[in-house]
Amino acid sequence: MFDPSDTAQRRFAAYGPARLPDARDDDLNAFVDDLIVGGPTIVANTLATISNRGREVLRAYAVRMASLVVRRNDPTQLLSAVIANVVGGLDENMHESLLAMAPIEDGARRLNVDLPQLFEQASKIVGHPGTVNLMMWLTRKPEDRTLASMSYAAGTDFDGFRYRYER
């Protein structure tokens, strides 16, 4: 099981670029499902103890889920991606979490998911300050929310569609 407070996260070494799907995705799916069920109280408790490395893992998961929803043409995991990214640092408006918002938005656009509605649903789960930062994302200029502006590109890997970070 994923422990967000673990400062090493050895089990999640090289998780971001790992093949999609990966068995570790299941652990993170279960973790995010617990956040969804627990709502703002559980999210706040998690944020009080999460390590920087735990945040990195959740951001990687968010981008991985954005890739999977496009690959599978199934928006189900977009909510999980948003919640993971908020807990992964968007609650503090971390730069890395802002970058991860572009694949989430792009995935939503590709699957015709209403982004403000998705964020409203996520806001009920993550509470403040994540709610504010989700809404702030929507106030950015459209050209400041693109994949390219956030150093991401849409492409493919061995198994299909995948967002990749281009430094």
Side-chain angles (χ1 to χ4, degrees), residues 58-67 69-70 75 77-86 90 96-115 118-119 122 134 137 145-147 150 152 161 163:
L58 287 172
R59 288 190 301 265
Y61 169 82
V63 174
R64 290 173 61 82
M65 292 305 103
S67 293
V69 300
V70 174
Q77 291 298 117
L78 271 177
L79 179 63
S80 295
V82 173
I83 292 166
N85 197 42
V86 169
L90 194 67
E96 296 85 355
S97 289
L98 288 171
L99 297 176
M101 289 299 291
I104 293 169
E105 179 168 349
D106 187 75
R109 183 185 52 75
R110 288 173 187 263
L111 275 64
N112 296 314
V113 172
D114 183 278
L115 195 63
L118 176 65
F119 286 1
L134 286 170
W137 175 260
R145 295 171 21 192
T146 65
L147 290 173
M150 296 294 159
Y152 273 91
F161 182 89
Y163 292 108

Side-chain angles (χ1 to χ4, degrees), residues 35-47:
L35 294 176
I36 291 169
V37 170
T41 301
I42 297 301
V43 169
N45 292 344
T46 301
L47 290 172

Side-chain angles (χ1 to χ4, degrees), residues 3-158:
D3 174 4
S5 66
D6 181 2
T7 59
Q9 298 294 341
R10 285 181 180 81
R11 183 165 178 268
F12 289 91
Y15 170 65
R19 289 183 79 164
L20 282 169
D22 182 277
R24 295 171 289 186
D25 294 331
D26 295 336
D27 287 347
L28 288 162
N29 285 335
F31 174 78
V32 174
D33 286 348
D34 287 347
L35 294 176
I36 291 169
V37 170
T41 301
I42 297 301
V43 169
N45 292 344
T46 301
L47 290 172
T49 62
I50 193 166
S51 69
N52 286 333
R53 204 47 200 116
R55 287 186 185 267
E56 290 173 13
V57 170
L58 287 172
R59 288 190 301 265
Y61 169 82
V63 174
R64 290 173 61 82
M65 292 305 103
S67 293
L68 272 179
V69 300
V70 174
R71 183 180 289 186
R72 294 175 172 167
N73 195 31
D74 178 3
T76 307
Q77 291 298 117
L78 271 177
L79 179 63
S80 295
V82 173
I83 292 166
N85 197 42
V86 169
V87 177
L90 194 67
D91 66 306
E92 294 182 1
N93 223 18
M94 290 179 159
H95 176 73
E96 296 85 355
S97 289
L98 288 171
L99 297 176
M101 289 299 291
I104 293 169
E105 179 168 349
D106 187 75
R109 183 185 52 75
R110 288 173 187 263
L111 275 64
N112 296 314
V113 172
D114 183 278
L115 195 63
Q117 186 177 21
L118 176 65
F119 286 1
E120 183 178 335
Q121 187 180 2
S123 293
K124 293 174 183 172
I125 297 163
V126 299
H128 183 75
T131 300
V132 172
N133 292 328
L134 286 170
M135 295 308 127
M136 286 182 63
W137 175 260
L138 294 174
T139 66
R140 296 171 70 102
K141 295 178 185 175
E143 61 269 20
D144 294 336
R145 295 171 21 192
T146 65
L147 290 173
S149 71
M150 296 294 159
S151 302
Y152 273 91
T156 57
D157 64 9
F158 185 73

